[in-house]
Amino acid sequence: MKETSLVIVAAGKGERAGGACGTAKQFRTLGGICLWKWSASAGERLYARGRVHECVLVVPEIALDAVHRETFGWKAPFRVVPGGAERQESVLRGIEAASGEYVLVHDGARPFLSEELADRLIDSLTLDCGVIPLLPVSDALKKTGDDRTLVPFPREGLWLSQTPQGFPRKKLVSVLTSHGGGAKDEAEAWISAGLPLLQVKGERKNIKITWEEDFALAESYVQRTVRTGIGYDIHPLVPGRRFILGGVDFPDFPLGFAGYSDGDVLVHAVCDALLGAAGMGDIGLIYPAGDPVYRNIASIRLLADTARRVKQDGWTLEWIDSVICAQEPKLARSLPRMISTMEEVFPEAWRGRLHLKAKSGERVGPVGESHSIVCHSAATLWRPADIF
Ligand code: CTP
Ligand code: MG
């Protein structure tokens, strides 16, 4: 097997995408997932198939620890190293930290690295040549002439260069070390050293996020896995307990929920709907009654933890709808407070996606006679199919 390292460079400032005003593009999210993780997860898949033997992530010095922590538990060996001021410097640091006989150098700003493209490149690697994915230019071209007027420019023989670009690693180290700097990609330095370059077919979807508007384009490329889960809960109403519903205290209501926790049926139903959609079991499994940690616990804390776990697994909330079946107290006026209390413990991107309804028990059965309150909930989540 060719020992190949995948080096992902993600140490730039992302200025053209507006990084100077806030977060650099590689730390913004695409499909709810941090941009650099898209390439890293491609690395995981290539490692699982035995196509690369390690990954090196090149990131800004300040992000070293945070990125390193994020790679705990991943299957491929990940090295995280600091980048330099120029792309070429970042690449050099990455390939020096790598150990493979060959190296694939990839932009962390290109989230859609397919296995087919990586395979084409790896299959073409030899100790003599570099290999680069190219695409023919499809638009008509114009060039600014000497007098600033536009003149047509022939597109024949012009190619768009993508990454990953593959090379014998030690040769690339020496090429980049002796190159004057400022190379837009490795192939540029490789060619100017007089070395041969093979080409493979690039992919239109393998875009580099460069400008702000590229994020919207990339979002439209994300394939989604969408799942819906349901939740249900019932608790008896008894005197001498507080009545807490949707995290909101109703001190004037004389009854409260019997239960091991505070018995907040709405929060429990919502937790179960979320866990069901994420395929993560239910609250009884994760926060078992009988464990002293959860005795009389405010269930809103369980919701905060559930949302954290679900998000951690890559899911983004699309919508939650719930119905509370209660004869009393009258709840309609309190629904907005319950929504805001519950949304407060959600990740920011999940807010504005929780809907509540209240229904009376029509004075029939245990709900209608105020012996219990019942809640039903449905949650829809999605996550990028390309990653998980
Ligand atoms: N890169 C890097 N180190 C640098 C500059 C760039 O690792 N000093 C990385 C970027 O993080 C990106 C890839 O090289 O993944 C391609 O570069 P580019 O698209 O130009 O990203 P930025 O340099 O971050 O963006 P800009 O040029 O708009 O500032
Ligand atoms: Mg740049």
Side-chain angles (χ1 to χ4, degrees), residues 187-228:
E188 189 178 326
W190 190 262
I191 291 167
S192 63
L195 292 164
L197 200 58
L198 288 175
Q199 72 174 74
V200 299
K201 197 172 167 308
E203 290 180 355
R204 292 280 162 203
K205 193 180 168 186
N206 182 27
I207 57 167
K208 178 162 75 67
I209 294 189
T210 305
W211 309 98
E212 176 60 39
E213 69 203 78
D214 294 335
F215 272 99
L217 178 66
E219 287 288 353
S220 75
Y221 283 168
V222 173
Q223 309 272 338
R224 294 176 171 208
T225 299
V226 181
R227 298 244 175 90
T228 295

Side-chain angles (χ1 to χ4, degrees), residues 56-247:
V56 177
L57 283 162
V58 187
V59 300
E61 179 110 42
I62 192 168
L64 273 180
D65 288 346
V67 170
H68 189 236
R69 268 197 305 278
E70 297 268 1
T71 64
F72 290 169
W74 292 16
K75 296 201 177 60
F78 270 90
R79 266 175 237 200
V80 187
V81 300
E86 296 290 320
R87 185 181 180 285
Q88 188 179 321
E89 211 178 317
S90 296
V91 172
L92 194 51
R93 291 188 187 185
I95 61 178
E96 279 174 339
S99 63
E101 189 168 23
Y102 297 95
V103 70
L104 287 185
V105 180
H106 185 57
D107 291 331
R110 288 184 196 268
F112 302 114
L113 166 54
S114 76
E115 300 193 18
E116 293 79 9
L117 176 57
D119 282 349
R120 281 202 290 284
L121 290 157
I122 294 168
D123 291 344
S124 310
L125 285 169
T126 67
L127 283 174
D128 315 308
C129 277
V131 52
I132 176 177
L134 295 176
L135 280 178
V137 174
S138 47
D139 294 332
L141 300 177
K142 309 288 175 289
K143 191 173 181 248
T144 311
D146 293 340
D147 57 355
R148 296 197 170 187
T149 55
L150 291 176
V151 288
F153 193 83
R155 66 174 170 233
E156 287 67 34
L158 291 187
W159 300 91
L160 301 172
S161 316
Q162 298 189 326
T163 73
Q165 301 184 358
F167 302 90
R169 188 179 64 86
K170 284 188 178 148
K171 219 174 225 178
L172 184 63
V173 170
S174 82
V175 163
L176 290 184
T177 308
S178 47
H179 188 267
K184 292 267 183 297
D185 61 5
E186 295 61 72
E188 189 178 326
W190 190 262
I191 291 167
S192 63
L195 292 164
L197 200 58
L198 288 175
Q199 72 174 74
V200 299
K201 197 172 167 308
E203 290 180 355
R204 292 280 162 203
K205 193 180 168 186
N206 182 27
I207 57 167
K208 178 162 75 67
I209 294 189
T210 305
W211 309 98
E212 176 60 39
E213 69 203 78
D214 294 335
F215 272 99
L217 178 66
E219 287 288 353
S220 75
Y221 283 168
V222 173
Q223 309 272 338
R224 294 176 171 208
T225 299
V226 181
R227 298 244 175 90
T228 295
I230 56 168
Y232 162 86
D233 201 23
I234 177 168
H235 274 266
L237 285 171
V238 293
R241 292 269 299 180
R242 282 163 71 193
F243 183 86
I244 294 170
L245 193 64

Side-chain angles (χ1 to χ4, degrees), residues 12-16 25 87 208:
K13 294 198 172 77
E15 280 172 345
R16 285 169 291 173
K25 60 188 178 185
R87 185 181 180 285
K208 178 162 75 67

